[in-house]
Amino acid sequence: EIVLTQSPGTLSLSPGERATLSCRASQSVSSSYLAWYQQKPGQAPRLLIYGASSRATGIPDRFSGSGSGTDFTLTISRLEPEDFAVYYCQQYGSSPPAVTFGGGTKVEIK
Amino acid sequence: QITLKESGPTLVKPTQTLTLTCTFSGFSLSTSGVGVGWIRQPPGKALEWLALIYWNDDKRYSPSLKSRLTITKDTSKNQVVLTMTNMDPVDTATYYCAHRRGGYYAFDIWGQGTMVTVSS
């Protein structure tokens, strides 16, 4: 089973700054199978990125995803007040067929 | 507009079986490529995937929980049901169901979640 490790655990930044979040897989993951979610307190997760770099419907272009193999990155180019939240990466494996989530990165206001 | 809503007991006793229902609208679970998954989140912890059922009745389970889980669908009622046996206090969590769009290897629409507490 593929394990996803997210770093850092917490990122303390100010509005307007750039956020770079990392997701590392224990085995190579197809880019098609890597997604990112945002979750705010008391809310369900929201899909931000699928296929490693494609933005989901309605997601602002300040969110971008990149990476391949075992290393993937979510970048928020300029943090808006509503972007302070927890972010999860997720992979969708085929052998064995399973879905796994990373442990999350909290982006907090500095 | 796609919506999903989870329903079920808020409190179950240890060793009991949990049955959760996901009632959805705005899509059909007989459309090629579509799936519905269950994901849970213990208080203050990360997301954990549980199970996924596809339009063709193919089913996938978390390897660590496979022996305790069963997922089924009722296409005519637009419902997906998850059962989890032998509940334990560590299973206390918010349980979400979510829509998987054909061609997406991700869950694009989520329900609001339902909190389940396991306690005697």
Side-chain angles (χ1 to χ4, degrees):
Chain A
E1 186 177 344
I2 294 178
V3 176
L4 299 179
T5 302
Q6 292 188 240
S7 61
T10 302
L11 200 50
S12 298
L13 295 168
S14 300
E17 290 193 294
R18 181 185 188 90
T20 304
L21 287 66
S22 173
C23 176
R24 178 161 291 177
S26 59
Q27 310 173 34
S28 184
V29 173
S30 167
S31 295
S32 298
Y33 299 163
L34 197 287
W36 290 91
Y37 299 85
Q38 176 193 68
Q39 187 180 33
K40 297 179 181 180
Q43 296 185 16
R46 176 174 72 145
L47 178 65
L48 297 176
I49 301 288
Y50 65 95
S53 61
S54 297
R55 275 187 299 276
T57 303
I59 302 303
D61 61 6
R62 65 180 180 273
F63 291 92
S64 63
S66 63
S68 64
T70 60
D71 291 303
F72 296 89
T73 301
L74 175 70
T75 302
I76 310 171
S77 60
R78 294 173 311 280
L79 282 164
E80 297 287 342
E82 62 268 28
D83 298 337
F84 292 92
V86 180
Y87 293 83
Y88 294 96
C89 58
Q90 171 238 299
Q91 72 87 30
Y92 200 109
S94 58
S95 183
V99 175
T100 53
F101 288 92
T105 290
K106 181 179 182 180
V107 179
E108 65 175 22
I109 299 177
K110 186 174 181 180
Chain B
Q1 179 191 4
I2 291 174
T3 64
L4 305 98
K5 187 171 185 179
E6 307 85 354
S7 60
T10 57
L11 179 66
V12 298
K13 290 179 167 44
T15 76
Q16 287 188 334
T17 293
L18 172 68
T19 299
L20 293 173
T21 300
C22 176
T23 303
F24 57 84
S25 64
F27 68 96
S28 172
L29 200 38
S30 58
T31 299
S32 179
V34 172
V36 172
W38 285 93
I39 302 98
R40 72 179 179 180
Q41 185 173 38
K45 296 189 176 181
L47 301 167
E48 179 183 20
W49 171 71
L50 301 176
L52 175 58
I53 189 165
Y54 292 96
W55 82 102
N56 59 359
D57 210 37
D58 189 15
K59 300 167 187 177
R60 303 297 182 204
Y61 295 101
S62 165
S64 62
L65 293 167
K66 185 175 183 177
S67 64
R68 298 174 54 204
L69 296 173
T70 302
I71 190 169
T72 60
K73 65 180 175 71
D74 186 330
T75 305
S76 64
K77 291 183 178 179
N78 282 353
Q79 290 182 333
V80 171
V81 175
L82 180 76
T83 61
M84 180 180 290
T85 61
N86 194 24
M87 293 292 285
D88 183 273
V90 299
D91 297 313
T92 293
T94 297
Y95 287 75
Y96 297 98
C97 63
H99 170 264
R100 184 257 186 182
R101 183 175 302 189
Y104 280 38
Y105 294 95
F107 299 107
D108 62 329
I109 306 293
W110 293 59
Q112 65 189 21
T114 186
M115 178 67 192
V116 177
T117 300
V118 184
S119 175
S120 54

